[in-house]
Amino acid sequence: MRLKLVPDETNFDFFGRPKLWLGISVFLILLSFGSFLIQGLNYGIDFRGGTTIRTESAQPVDVGAYRDALNALELGDVLISEVFDPTFGPDQNVAMVRIQAQEGEEAVTPELITAAQAALATVAPDIQFVSVESVGPKVSGELIRTAALAVALAIGAVLVYIWLRFEWQFALGAVVALVHDVVLTIGIFSELQIRFDLAIIAALLTIVGYSLNDTVVVFDRVRENLIRYKSRPLKEVLNLSINETLSRTFMTSVTTLLALIALFVLGGDVIRGFVFAMIWGVVVGTYSSIFVASTFLLWLGVKRDWTTTGDGGAGTQFADVDA
C-alpha cells in the first residue's frame, strides 16, 4: 500500500485569495523587522566575543559534567567540545571551553575565568589549563559583516542562475521568496531570543538552497505547461503546475521534517539551534515556493512562447542547462 499525503490529482485554487497569503507574509516580515529593531538578536560567542579555555587532563573529558559544573556560575552561552589529535598521548584528554563575553564587557573577566577554572577542577582534579584566549567585539563585528555578505552573495547568485535558466520574472519571484524565508528565519530567532551563531548562518544558506530547489521544481513545471497550454490564462497554468507538483512538494517537506524533528529531540543542545532554523526554513520555504514566488510571477507576467530560440532571451538561451 502506497503512502499518499496528497492525492495524485488535486485541483486547489492557490490564487483564489492572493491578497490574504501575501498579507500574512507582509505582516510576518514587518513583525520580524520590528522585533529585530527593538530587541535585536541573541548573538552567540561567535558574534559577541568571549574567552576560550583549553584544558588538559589524564582522565577522559566528560562534557556533561563540565557543563553541569559551569551552569552553576550562570555564564550565559558556554560551548564545550573535546579535541582529538592523533599526536596526543594516552594521558592527554583535551577540551575547549568557550564562554561568551559578559554583559557590558568585551570578554570574560579574570574573576569569572578563575571561578570557571575552579568549577572545572571539581570535576577533574588533575585538570590543567593550557591556554586562555579572548576574542573581542571587533573580530566578532567582522564575522557579522562576513556572514551577511555570504547570505547576500548566495541570493545574488540565485538571481543570476534563475535569470539565465528562465526569465527575469522567474528570477525576481524566486529571489523575493528567498528573501522572505531568510527574513522570517531571522525574525523568529529575534522574537524567541534563540542563540544566533555561525551555525545559524550555515542553516540560512541551507534554507536558501532548499527553498530554491522547491521553487525551481514548480517553475520547471510552469515552463512545460506554458508551452503545452499556450492559450490558457497564466493564472490557470500556475494553478495547474502547483497542483501537479504538490504531492512531490509535500512528500519532500514531510520526510525532511521527520528527520529534523528527530534530530531536534535527540540531537542535543549543540545542534538544536541549527535544527530549529532548518525546521522553520522548511515550513516557510514550502509556503513561499507555492504562495510567494508564483504570486509574484503572476503579477509580473511571463513570456508565453518558449518554443522560439536564438532571440537573445535569457530564458531560452540557457533553459536546457541542468542544475
Side-chain angles (χ1 to χ4, degrees):
M1 179 179 178
R2 292 175 57 195
L3 174 64
K4 294 182 180 179
L5 298 178
V6 178
D8 290 335
E9 294 185 5
T10 59
N11 190 28
F12 297 112
D13 183 8
F14 293 100
F15 300 99
R17 307 182 71 178
K19 292 182 180 179
L20 172 65
W21 303 119
L22 288 184
I24 292 174
S25 292
V26 170
F27 172 75
L28 292 176
I29 288 173
L30 292 176
L31 190 65
S32 298
F33 273 115
S35 178
F36 180 78
L37 292 175
I38 293 173
Q39 56 184 2
L41 291 168
N42 178 21
Y43 290 114
I45 296 174
D46 298 325
F47 295 122
R48 293 183 62 177
T51 297
T52 300
I53 303 174
R54 183 183 173 101
T55 70
E56 185 176 324
S57 63
Q59 67 183 74
V61 174
D62 187 338
V63 175
Y66 281 22
R67 187 179 301 282
D68 291 339
L70 293 175
N71 282 343
L73 300 177
E74 298 182 349
L75 298 173
D77 189 14
V78 176
L79 299 179
I80 304 171
S81 56
E82 188 171 3
V83 179
F84 297 97
D85 191 315
T87 63
F88 288 171
D91 59 343
Q92 284 183 296
N93 296 288
V94 179
M96 300 291 291
V97 179
R98 305 175 67 192
I99 305 172
Q100 75 170 38
Q102 303 302 295
E103 196 67 33
E105 303 285 344
E106 292 188 355
V108 179
T109 62
E111 292 77 13
L112 283 179
I113 293 175
T114 303
Q117 291 174 336
L120 293 173
T122 62
V123 179
D126 65 329
I127 194 169
Q128 298 180 17
F129 303 101
V130 181
S131 65
V132 178
E133 299 175 343
S134 294
V135 178
K138 182 178 179 180
V139 175
S140 301
E142 291 176 359
L143 278 177
I144 293 175
R145 287 191 290 274
T146 304
L149 180 62
V151 176
L153 288 177
I155 294 177
V158 167
L159 176 67
V160 174
Y161 167 72
I162 299 294
W163 194 335
L164 293 176
R165 187 174 172 87
F166 297 93
E167 287 190 54
W168 67 268
Q169 297 95 331
F170 289 82
L172 195 57
V175 166
V176 168
L178 294 182
V179 172
H180 167 277
D181 300 343
V182 171
V183 169
L184 291 194
T185 303
I186 293 175
I188 194 71
F189 271 76
S190 173
E191 185 62 30
L192 300 180
Q193 287 293 290
I194 302 173
R195 186 178 66 218
F196 192 90
D197 52 26
L198 284 179
I200 308 307
I201 297 299
L204 287 176
L205 294 173
T206 309
I207 290 169
V208 167
Y210 182 89
S211 178
L212 174 66
N213 182 58
D214 255 2
T215 303
V216 167
V217 168
V218 175
F219 281 178
D220 262 333
R221 186 58 58 92
V222 170
R223 184 173 55 184
E224 292 172 7
N225 286 334
L226 285 173
I227 298 172
R228 188 177 304 163
Y229 307 107
K230 296 178 181 177
S231 60
R232 294 181 70 170
L234 179 58
K235 180 179 177 180
E236 292 184 11
V237 174
L238 288 171
N239 252 328
L240 176 66
S241 303
I242 296 174
N243 276 289
E244 288 179 347
T245 56
L246 194 60
S247 179
R248 176 264 172 204
T249 299
F250 263 78
M251 186 60 78
T252 302
S253 299
V254 169
T255 52
T256 305
L257 284 174
L258 288 176
L260 289 172
I261 290 172
L263 282 174
F264 184 80
V265 175
L266 305 173
D269 291 335
V270 175
I271 63 171
R272 190 155 289 152
F274 174 86
V275 176
F276 175 80
M278 287 300 304
I279 291 174
W280 176 260
V282 169
V283 174
V284 298
T286 303
Y287 166 83
S288 68
S289 65
I290 294 175
F291 293 103
V292 178
S294 299
T295 301
F296 264 81
L297 190 58
L298 178 63
W299 282 0
L300 294 172
V302 64
K303 171 183 175 181
R304 301 305 307 271
D305 184 6
W306 291 78
T307 59
T308 305
T309 59
D311 61 358
T316 56
Q317 189 175 359
F318 298 97
D320 293 330
V321 177
D322 291 331

